[in-house]
Amino acid sequence: MSAQPETNPVPSHLRLLPWTEEGKPAYLSTRNTETFLSRLADRVEEQQMETAAVVLGLAKPMVEDSANLRADELRWVARRLIESLTELLTIAESRGQRIPPYESTTTNDASVPDETHETGAEPGTK
């Protein structure tokens, strides 16, 4: 018996949708097939990502030191950023649930370089 941690709490055939049902997560059983609803979800996700990029572009100059905004205007910007971030996190979670887990190995794979040894720095640093 193997005591491996549960890495994917939602069965792989259930897709987290980019909208909710009465405030609760909505799922689609796809069995990894393309359906009308899965294509609709793809389009909604794409639109949410595009909207987030626009919101980010508009928000950047609004939070510069030279911007002269009132508190209610800053709250409005913060709300739009929060909405976009929430949508993007749902998309990331949905896509992460559909990625198959890595196969477990008992030995180190010498063919995969270790960034620390190659660059002498920690991963993600220069």
Side-chain angles (χ1 to χ4, degrees):
M1 183 168 122
S2 174
Q4 293 184 9
E6 188 175 323
T7 57
N8 196 355
V10 177
S12 62
H13 64 278
L14 290 181
R15 176 182 178 170
L16 177 62
L17 295 171
W19 56 79
T20 61
E21 289 288 325
E22 298 177 8
K24 297 179 182 176
Y27 292 90
L28 173 65
S29 179
T30 63
R31 302 274 186 215
N32 293 324
T33 58
E34 188 176 328
T35 66
F36 172 78
L37 279 178
S38 67
R39 288 190 307 271
L40 177 62
D42 290 341
R43 287 193 300 273
V44 170
E45 287 178 353
E46 183 178 336
Q47 186 178 42
Q48 288 173 332
M49 289 186 290
E50 289 172 0
T51 299
V54 169
V55 169
L56 180 61
L58 294 171
K60 282 181 179 180
M62 297 176 86
V63 296
E64 293 291 328
D65 290 335
S66 60
N68 189 17
L69 298 176
R70 298 183 320 261
D72 62 325
E73 293 170 319
L74 286 173
R75 278 193 298 278
W76 184 88
V77 171
R79 286 185 192 112
R80 301 301 77 79
L81 290 169
I82 290 168
E83 288 169 359
S84 294
L85 181 57
T86 300
E87 291 171 349
L88 293 177
L89 289 173
T90 299
I91 293 168
E93 180 181 353
S94 175
R95 292 181 180 190
Q97 289 173 351
R98 290 180 275 151
I99 296 174
Y102 289 114
E103 293 182 22
S104 63
T105 59
T106 56
T107 61
N108 290 337
D109 187 352
S111 65
V112 178
D114 181 353
E115 288 184 43
T116 303
H117 296 299
E118 278 191 10
T119 63
E122 290 297 314
T125 62
K126 295 183 180 189

